[in-house]
Amino acid sequence: MSLIEMHVFSEALNKSTCVNVILPLPRRAELPPEGLPVLTLLHGMGDDYTMWLRRTGVERYALERGIAVVMPDGGLSCYHNMVHGGRYRDYILDELPGLLRGMLPLSARREDNLIAGCSMGGFGALKLGLSRPEQYAAIGCFSAAHMEYRPDHPRNKAMLSRVYGETLDACDAQIERDIQAVNAGSRSMRVWHACGDQDVLRENALKSRDFFEALPPGAIDYSFETLPGKHDWALWDRMLEEFMLLLPAAEGRFM
């Protein structure tokens, strides 16, 4: 198992940024010809690219499944092209995958690429994944919803203003159009959505559950789970492990 911390310059952000990559190593000098499957894992508000490593068993889960994990830094962007800030959507969707594939044995195949996150990162995973059904086969949304949470605290209102300006409602409407378009399309997409029974964002998550479950039968394979817990890393660690169990086991082929 390799853990690689990379410091890269992003054209989309117009600055240097950091990304951690977990890279399972095959026990023999053999990699799949298409490269390793990839999970892009997004952090929540107030955290950074190191948090999944510091608070969860992500390295162990990656080894058990033989999957590379890419953990970029999303700042306080909501994984959006900010009105007053960096183009984080373009960075995550367009720039970073090509940059990493140029250096590491990562698969570009849609069926080998997943995206997930917690809280702000769960919202980001839904938003980015559903806007690119040709890029991702599955989405994990932990303690979040498809619409942006609108907190009352003045600091958070100021943050959302920097991200969206006056377009927050338009962004929510666009995500709903993306969901409907994916569901009406021909590519099957798995959406695994989970929230804690004492989670502060549970009401928001349930609104998303109702929206997805009201869709006509289609390409989106949606499931919702309630787990015991609050809006914290103990809960997200369990969610990550359950989401990774959707993948086949690597059966000792990696180290």
Side-chain angles (χ1 to χ4, degrees):
M1 172 79 74
S2 291
L3 171 61
I4 306 166
E5 180 175 277
M6 303 178 70
H7 298 256
V8 299
F9 184 83
S10 164
E11 297 286 348
L13 303 179
N14 194 32
K15 74 180 195 74
S16 180
T17 187
C18 298
V19 56
N20 275 328
V21 181
I22 295 170
L23 199 68
L25 302 174
R27 291 190 175 275
R28 300 178 183 85
E30 300 174 0
L31 280 166
E34 64 277 1
L36 292 170
V38 182
L39 168 62
T40 299
L41 196 53
L42 307 179
H43 65 77
M45 184 183 297
D47 290 331
D48 64 16
Y49 71 104
T50 68
M51 218 59 167
W52 284 104
L53 283 169
R54 292 160 59 193
R55 300 294 179 88
T56 75
V58 62
E59 281 191 286
R60 177 163 48 87
Y61 309 148
L63 183 61
E64 290 169 353
R65 301 291 144 184
I67 186 170
V69 182
V70 172
M71 293 161 283
D73 199 294
L76 290 172
S77 68
C78 300
Y79 301 96
H80 194 71
N81 286 344
M82 300 173 70
V83 172
H84 303 289
R87 292 187 290 116
Y88 281 88
R89 181 185 188 278
D90 291 349
Y91 167 61
I92 301 292
L93 284 179
D94 298 321
E95 185 178 17
L96 185 60
L99 187 155
L100 294 180
R101 289 170 194 151
M103 295 182 281
L104 301 172
L106 305 180
S107 175
R109 300 193 309 176
R110 174 188 182 269
E111 58 266 35
D112 291 336
N113 277 268
L114 303 81
I115 187 167
C118 64
S119 195
M120 181 186 81
F123 168 69
L126 275 179
K127 177 168 61 175
L128 299 183
L130 289 163
S131 73
R132 288 290 179 84
E134 71 278 10
Q135 192 164 329
Y136 299 103
I139 297 168
C141 176
F142 313 154
S143 296
H146 75 278
M147 74 288 284
E148 181 60 89
Y149 176 57
R150 293 162 167 80
D152 292 330
H153 195 287
R155 180 180 59 199
N156 290 330
K157 288 184 177 180
M159 184 207 75
L160 291 179
S161 178
R162 289 193 296 272
V163 173
Y164 298 103
E166 303 300 322
T167 66
L168 180 53
D169 290 336
C171 180
D172 287 351
Q174 181 60 56
I175 296 171
E176 293 194 352
R177 289 193 293 270
D178 287 342
I179 294 171
Q180 291 162 343
V182 172
N183 196 54
S186 58
R187 291 186 174 95
S188 177
M189 175 174 279
R190 179 74 184 269
V191 176
W192 190 84
H193 189 188
C195 197
D197 59 0
Q198 301 175 63
D199 200 303
V200 295
L201 297 188
R202 180 167 173 77
E203 182 179 345
N204 224 33
L206 291 177
K207 290 178 182 177
S208 265
R209 178 203 63 184
D210 294 344
F211 182 85
F212 275 99
E213 292 184 348
L215 294 171
I220 294 179
D221 177 10
Y222 176 83
S223 61
F224 182 87
E225 291 194 27
T226 296
L227 278 69
K230 301 178 181 180
H231 197 78
D232 60 22
W233 282 101
L235 176 64
W236 300 328
D237 186 26
R238 294 198 303 275
M239 289 178 175
L240 177 62
E241 184 175 22
E242 286 207 24
F243 180 67
M244 297 282 263
L245 289 174
L246 300 177
L247 305 170
E251 299 176 346
R253 290 183 287 114
F254 292 87
M255 60 182 180

